[in-house]
Every structure is written in C-alpha cells, then in structure tokens.
Amino acid sequence: MRIKINDQGLELTEQSSLAELLSAQNIDTTAIAVALNGKIMHRGHWQQTKLNDGDTITLVQAVAGG
Amino acid sequence: MVHNKLNDEQLLRYSSNILMKEIGEAGQQRLLKSHVLIIGLGGLGCPASQYLASSGVGQLTLVDHDTVSLSNLQRQTLYSVTNIGLHKAKQAADCLLRSNPDINVTAVTEKASQQNLETLVAAADLVLDCTDNRKTRYLINQSCYRLKTPLISAAARGFNGQLIALNPEHDHGCYQCLYPDSVTEPLNCSNAGIAAPVVGIIGASQALNAINYLTLDTITPNALTIDKLPWGYLQSFNGLTQHWQTLYLPRDTSCPVCGGEHAH
Ligand SMILES: [Zn+2]
C-alpha cells in the first residue's frame, strides 16, 4: 500500500491506522493539524481511521506569530 | 438597510471600488457602515488595517497593548522610527486617519482579555485575529463563537502563513478544533523570524476576506450561489515554494467551544 505524507511517498507493508502511522513515523503531534485527503482529522478519530492505498496525509504545524 | 448617499468626495475617493460591479455604490455604502475589530497591530494587523481603512470601512477598532520597537520596522509598515516606544494601536490609528480621514478609528491600548473581548467583539460586525500568541487566539475564538461574530484568524512564522475564515453560524470547526492543545506556545516572530512579504500577503488576505464578507458574501454566477469566503478551510501558504494548500476543518463534536449545542 502506497500513501503520501506531506508530498513524500511511503510504502506501508501492513494495514495501519492514522494513529499508528504517526507514531511509527515518530511525528510529534503537539500543536499540529493532521489532514487525510484534504480534510482535517480530529484527534479522537486518529485511532479508528484506517489508511487506504493512495491516501494523502498532510501535517500542518501551528504557527502563532503575527 | 437604509444607506446614506455617498458625497462627491467619497465617490471620488472610492471610485476604484465603485467601478467594480462586485462592490459598486451599494457595496461601498455597506463598507462605510461596517465595524471591524482588529486585534494585534503587528505584521498582520498593519496591512490588514491599512487596506480596510483605505477601502473605506467606516469604523475600525484597533487593539494592541504593545509599543513600537526598532525590530518591528522590518515588517510593520505603518510605523516609522519616530514612533519607537509609542503604543502601536495609537500610532496605527493616526497613520490610517492621515490616509483616510473619512473613517473612524479607535485605538485600544489594553491587552485583549476575556473581559474586554466580550464588549469589543459585541460591538463589531467582523473580527480579525492578527495576534502573536495562542493564548489570545483561543480567547478571541471563544468570544466570537459566544457572540456568533465571524472571525478571520491568521498567523505567520518564517516563510509560512496560515489563514482561516470562521463563521459560527456555519457547521465547520473553530480555532479550538484546529489546534486543541492549548499548552505549548509555538515559536513566534520574535523568536523564530518572519519573512516580511509573507506576513504581508496573509494580512492582505485577511483584508480581502473582510471586504468580501462586508460587501455581499455570496456571488451568483449562472444562478448558483457561491460563497466569496472559504469558510472553514485552513489556507496555508509556503513562501519558499509559493504554494497555497487548502484543508477543510470539520467541526469536532467534542469541542468545548463549538461542539455541544451546535453539534450536528
Ligand atoms: Zn471547535
């Protein structure tokens, strides 16, 4: 199964959830928004969201400056 | 709504707005009758307030407790060296009124707090969040949702800018849904740097969203009704690739601010 994280391709050998992927990739999830195929996924749904072939994941770091 | 007729000077001053069918004389009258609250008069608030003042938004309220420093002048284009040490809100108001004495500008030099935001937001038709810290961002989001006032929230750091138009009457998520962690303060402009044109682009986008909202927030080409604002879409700009990314923010039904009674 092939997915994309922030425009980088990644091959997944086994079925995984969004939460498992973020953890396997050692992504610090404090102050980030995570989107799946253009839609932001709330934290409470990361565990139950299963990834599919061709999924695009986008990580957006919070910025607060102005 | 009853509109006062524009006088000759206004017809000339705002002629470039009036010439466009998307604004026209009716849109200009709406702008002149509008009240926008701008919180934060730094790198975002300078361009945002400048374009709203010059476009003829009739009442602007500028909130900032900070004073101008030399390092602000890299991107905060309303100020000059003679303003260093003086309140940004007051200096910005003076600068905007020099360019357009046809509008009213009120400067508030107190720090935005839960208490004063209730009164300030209640008086406004629209709020622009141009602040430099997350604590105030959460407070502004809460007040806007409580009072059902639309909010154009923006932020920038380094070469990255972010913008989201939030309408409490719509069923998308809010700022709290977007970044639910309220604990950590990410890097801001003063400790991480900021590319001046990037914050300028984002601040100008806030002004464009505001003008689109205040004139008529939908257009109807071919009898279809289209929103002139991308309500609920986080727009993220990368100044190094000059690429805009758009992500939809659904409402989190467990959100303490917009979930609960609003949940669908
Ligand atoms: Zn929310």
Side-chain angles (χ1 to χ4, degrees):
Chain A
M1 176 165 78
R2 200 156 176 81
I3 60 155
K4 266 187 173 180
I5 305 183
N6 280 1
D7 294 328
Q8 290 242 316
L10 182 72
E11 194 66 41
L12 296 182
T13 47
E14 50 193 78
Q15 172 67 248
S16 69
S17 70
L18 188 54
E20 285 162 347
L21 173 80
L22 297 172
S23 148
Q25 293 293 307
N26 289 318
I27 290 159
D28 176 6
T29 58
T30 12
I32 67 163
V34 178
L36 176 62
N37 302 326
K39 190 173 141 189
I40 291 165
M41 305 297 290
H42 301 303
R43 259 143 231 261
H45 298 155
W46 292 356
Q47 202 67 56
Q48 74 212 45
T49 303
K50 297 287 173 216
L51 297 175
N52 294 302
D53 191 44
D55 276 350
T56 297
I57 289 135
T58 312
L59 309 175
V60 182
Q61 182 74 47
V63 294
Chain B
M1 205 191 295
V2 180
H3 298 298
N4 297 325
K5 221 173 136 48
L6 299 177
N7 63 37
D8 288 351
E9 195 188 316
Q10 288 173 324
L11 287 169
L12 197 56
R13 175 180 281 277
Y14 306 119
S15 56
S16 296
N17 279 349
I18 295 164
L19 280 167
M20 292 183 286
K21 65 172 176 7
E22 295 84 355
I23 297 182
E25 207 171 326
Q28 189 61 51
Q29 285 166 334
R30 285 194 186 91
L31 290 176
L32 285 163
K33 288 190 171 295
S34 299
H35 182 174
V36 176
L37 173 65
I38 301 176
I39 307 162
L41 269 296
L44 294 165
C46 282
S49 64
Q50 195 161 26
Y51 282 121
L52 294 183
S54 62
S55 299
V57 171
Q59 171 68 53
L60 295 176
T61 300
L62 312 179
V63 184
D64 203 313
H65 65 289
D66 203 4
T67 55
V68 178
S69 67
L70 183 58
S71 66
N72 295 151
L73 301 186
Q74 172 251 13
R75 63 193 175 282
Q76 300 180 19
T77 52
L78 291 177
Y79 313 121
S80 58
V81 281
T82 55
N83 300 148
I84 290 172
L86 303 173
H87 274 112
K88 288 182 183 179
K90 183 79 184 63
Q91 297 313 306
D94 289 352
C95 185
L96 299 175
L97 286 168
R98 275 197 297 276
S99 151
N100 190 357
D102 185 44
I103 60 164
N104 294 309
V105 184
T106 307
V108 177
T109 57
E110 291 164 42
K111 188 174 166 60
S113 66
Q114 199 169 357
Q115 290 71 35
N116 64 16
L117 278 172
E118 285 295 310
T119 321
L120 292 165
V121 172
D125 299 308
L126 178 70
V127 178
L128 304 193
D129 182 344
C130 303
T131 57
D132 62 358
N133 69 90
R134 286 182 75 199
K135 192 164 174 263
T136 312
R137 292 179 181 281
Y138 289 112
L139 292 177
I140 295 169
N141 181 64
Q142 283 166 24
S143 290
C144 286
Y145 269 77
R146 240 194 324 271
L147 296 160
K148 300 205 187 313
T149 307
L151 166 65
I152 316 292
S153 182
R157 184 186 74 199
F159 278 87
N160 181 229
Q162 293 179 12
L163 175 78
I164 187 163
L166 300 170
N167 190 330
E169 304 282 9
H170 291 205
D171 63 4
H172 54 67
C174 73
Y175 186 78
Q176 186 82 44
C177 295
L178 179 61
Y179 298 122
D181 315 295
S182 52
V183 277
T184 43
E185 182 72 20
L187 299 171
N188 61 33
C189 298
S190 41
N191 58 23
I194 176 81
V198 169
V199 76
I201 286 166
I202 303 300
S205 297
Q206 285 182 285
L208 176 60
N209 274 275
I211 289 168
N212 281 352
Y213 174 70
L214 297 169
T215 47
L216 246 193
D217 62 355
T218 55
I219 45 172
T220 51
N222 312 316
L224 284 167
T225 300
I226 297 176
D227 273 331
K228 278 159 62 187
L229 279 80
W231 296 117
Y233 282 89
L234 174 70
Q235 294 184 287
S236 176
F237 177 68
N238 179 339
L240 293 172
T241 59
Q242 309 224 22
H243 178 71
W244 284 92
Q245 192 166 49
T246 297
L247 302 168
Y248 183 65
L249 173 68
R251 175 161 291 167
D252 182 351
T253 48
S254 64
C255 174
V257 178
C258 73
E261 60 177 305
H262 301 283
H264 290 259

